[in-house]
Amino acid sequence: MSHRKFEQPRSGSLGFLPRKRCCRSRGKVKSFPKDDASAAPHLTAFMGYKAGMTHIVRDVDKPGSKVHKKEVVEAVTILETPPLIVAGLVGYIQTPRGLRSLTTVWAGHLNEEIKRRFYKNWYRSKKKAFTKYAAKFSENNGKNVQDELERMKKHCSVIRLIAHTQIKKIKLRQKKAHVMEIQINGGSVADKVDFGYGLFEQAVPIDSVFNQDEMLDTIAVTKGHGFEGVVTRWGVTRLARKTHKGLRKVACIGSWHPSRVSYTVPRAGQSGYHHRTEINKKVYRLGKAGDGKSCTVLERL
């Protein structure tokens, strides 16, 4: 049997299999922070749009490092985060198979941006979404809505807001808002429900959720690069210059037996457009729209 002359670590991580196109075009929060009942009710996530990138110069305070007490240049990402609009509330109960939604309460008035999300073709539609539901707020002084809120307080263990972006404030062609659920942590279940219901139809700014110098995780879909070969997709080494039939390949894709290609062997295929979560990102600055000093360096403030 043949063997390799020199050992080395494998190329590419198997922790991200399968490397296929993401089924949704935006990030999804699959795990919210752990709840702390002793804290006040608060939101745990926010939604924004990438505007671009720049760089910063900062001093490093890391004893033992070669760059200790020196300046380093780091890349930073700029996100555009218009205030979210709260459109509803969802209550979940614990089951042996995980969380199950018990009931949903929607706001009495929904913006056109979120209504567009419920239609395939807004132009041809009758735009009647939620007209019957809005009438519940006027019937019997909104008793049906209050009953659902009381049902949440009695049975649910997890409360999440339904919020949507104000995409008209972003200079994009799209008019259809993005919608997400944001978990409410802190306090009792009744406190969570009252906190969420009090935010109905309100604008929630970014500085009410995150603070400057806070560490957080970012979730998004990476830039797509289409069908790529093994050198780009997995980072394997190119073969020798005179290799027959190309050199950007994997030379041996497995032994004779078992007579199939293992999933651990690098192969060509989809690169990019994957759902990814990056942890421990620091918020260097929370700017304000229309504030000229928001994009100014600290020395000039």
Side-chain angles (χ1 to χ4, degrees):
M1 291 180 65
S2 63
H3 64 279
R4 65 185 304 167
K5 196 170 183 180
F6 302 106
E7 297 296 329
Q8 70 172 21
R10 65 159 290 116
S11 295
S13 172
L14 296 178
F16 297 105
L17 291 179
R19 293 184 183 235
K20 56 193 286 189
R21 283 175 56 86
C22 184
C23 62
R24 62 181 73 86
S25 59
R26 65 170 188 85
K28 178 184 178 182
V29 182
K30 299 182 180 180
S31 176
F32 285 95
K34 194 173 181 180
D35 193 6
D36 180 14
S38 62
H42 58 278
L43 300 182
T44 54
F46 207 83
M47 198 157 28
Y49 300 88
K50 182 175 178 178
M53 295 188 71
T54 182
H55 64 271
I56 60 160
V57 180
R58 71 177 183 93
D59 295 323
V60 178
D61 184 20
K62 193 175 181 182
S65 173
K66 289 184 177 180
V67 292
H68 179 51
K69 291 189 175 180
K70 293 183 179 178
E71 289 185 342
V72 294
V73 177
E74 288 184 346
V76 293
T77 303
I78 300 171
L79 300 177
E80 199 163 350
T81 54
L84 297 181
I85 303 296
V86 178
L89 205 61
V90 189
Y92 290 87
I93 58 174
Q94 287 283 357
T95 70
R97 293 172 298 279
L99 292 174
R100 179 179 72 83
S101 62
L102 179 72
T103 183
T104 304
V105 175
W106 293 88
H109 302 281
L110 297 183
N111 293 354
E112 180 192 305
E113 295 167 307
I114 187 173
K115 284 185 179 179
R116 284 175 178 267
R117 177 57 60 183
F118 306 135
Y119 289 97
K120 188 73 174 177
N121 190 328
W122 175 257
Y123 172 71
R124 291 183 178 276
S125 69
K126 295 182 179 179
K127 306 174 180 59
K128 300 281 285 182
F130 282 89
T131 51
K132 292 182 179 179
Y133 187 89
K136 289 185 178 182
F137 284 85
S138 57
E139 295 174 358
N140 300 326
N141 296 324
K143 185 178 182 301
N144 292 336
V145 176
Q146 294 301 323
D147 289 346
E148 290 299 313
L149 293 174
E150 291 299 323
R151 193 160 159 245
M152 272 190 201
K153 294 178 182 179
K154 184 176 180 181
H155 300 289
C156 294
S157 57
V158 174
I159 305 296
R160 293 177 182 171
L161 277 183
I162 301 175
H164 68 87
T165 59
Q166 299 186 71
I167 201 163
K168 285 185 177 179
K169 295 189 175 182
I170 305 288
K171 292 187 177 180
L172 296 174
R173 291 182 59 195
Q174 184 170 324
K175 299 177 183 177
K176 188 183 294 188
H178 292 99
V179 186
M180 75 174 297
E181 288 186 4
I182 303 175
Q183 186 162 307
I184 302 175
N185 281 358
S188 64
V189 175
D191 294 337
K192 292 180 172 69
V193 173
D194 292 336
F195 174 78
Y197 187 66
L199 291 175
F200 271 22
E201 302 176 30
Q202 302 293 319
V204 179
I206 181 71
D207 54 10
S208 67
V209 181
F210 297 120
N211 301 314
Q212 189 167 311
D213 299 328
E214 193 174 348
M215 304 294 285
L216 47 88
D217 301 344
T218 58
I219 304 173
V221 176
T222 61
K223 185 190 295 185
H225 298 284
F227 195 98
E228 291 282 10
V230 287
V231 175
T232 300
R233 193 177 187 221
W234 291 95
V236 300
T237 308
R238 294 189 310 160
L239 302 177
R241 181 181 62 84
K242 297 178 71 174
T243 305
H244 184 51
K245 289 188 177 179
L247 50 81
R248 296 175 64 88
K249 297 175 178 290
V250 174
C252 176
I253 60 172
S255 56
W256 192 319
H257 290 290
S259 55
R260 51 194 170 272
V261 180
S262 171
Y263 75 96
T264 60
V265 178
R267 307 290 275 164
Q270 173 67 31
S271 176
Y273 207 75
H274 307 309
H275 189 273
R276 294 291 181 261
T277 302
E278 291 199 357
I279 63 173
N280 291 340
K281 300 296 179 186
K282 189 170 186 177
V283 180
Y284 281 115
R285 177 69 60 82
L286 284 174
K288 291 280 187 182
D291 183 10
K293 293 184 177 180
S294 288
C295 55
T296 314
V297 295
L298 286 174
E299 285 76 7
R300 297 179 187 169
L301 291 178

